[in-house]
Amino acid sequence: QVQLVESGGGLVQTGGSLRLSCAASGMPFIINRIGWYRQAPGEERELVATITRDGTTNYADSVKGRFAISRDNAKYTLYLQMNSLKPEDTAVYYCNARSTSEREYWGPGTQVTVSS
């Protein structure tokens, strides 16, 4: 079992920055891939960025060049540095982990609101 808790969301103006954190606990060593998804009101949840155990990253086209995913293995913590934020980045951001057995885990989410 893996527990995930996000933090760092908030209200920011267009062009601003935020850094999200996701703390993993329980059995974080079973995580094979971890990342961020987001869901805006009335929209489906979408992938933002992921990072695998070997460090391979993947980004949605909409955030490439603006967002950066990273992790601190010693602290079992995942980060998402978000720069040049746009109103369309407004959403609830969720931390997601996939275990070596392909089981999915989700955090409760953190709200990011970008004002125009």
Side-chain angles (χ1 to χ4, degrees):
Q1 295 287 344
V2 175
Q3 293 80 45
L4 304 171
V5 178
E6 306 93 339
S7 62
L11 174 64
V12 65
Q13 291 185 335
T14 296
S17 298
L18 281 175
R19 189 176 82 154
L20 304 183
S21 300
C22 171
S25 61
M27 300 174 65
F29 49 85
I30 68 172
I31 295 173
N32 191 45
R33 190 194 78 172
I34 192 166
W36 295 94
Y37 286 70
R38 67 186 181 186
Q39 187 167 20
E43 302 289 333
E44 293 187 355
R45 193 170 296 188
E46 63 177 3
L47 180 146
V48 176
T50 60
I51 184 167
T52 63
R53 181 174 289 188
D54 66 1
T56 301
T57 58
N58 181 48
Y59 293 92
D61 288 343
S62 59
V63 306
K64 284 180 180 177
R66 300 189 298 122
F67 292 10
I69 191 170
S70 63
R71 65 189 181 194
D72 184 328
N73 291 331
K75 297 181 179 179
Y76 294 116
T77 301
L78 178 74
Y79 302 101
L80 184 69
Q81 178 66 43
M82 305 187 294
N83 300 324
S84 302
L85 283 162
K86 306 174 182 180
E88 51 263 44
D89 295 318
T90 295
V92 178
Y93 284 69
Y94 297 92
C95 185
N96 167 272
R98 180 179 296 174
S99 73
T100 51
S101 61
E102 298 295 307
R103 182 170 179 176
E104 301 271 353
Y105 299 89
W106 293 92
T110 185
Q111 176 71 45
V112 171
T113 302
V114 184
S115 63
S116 58

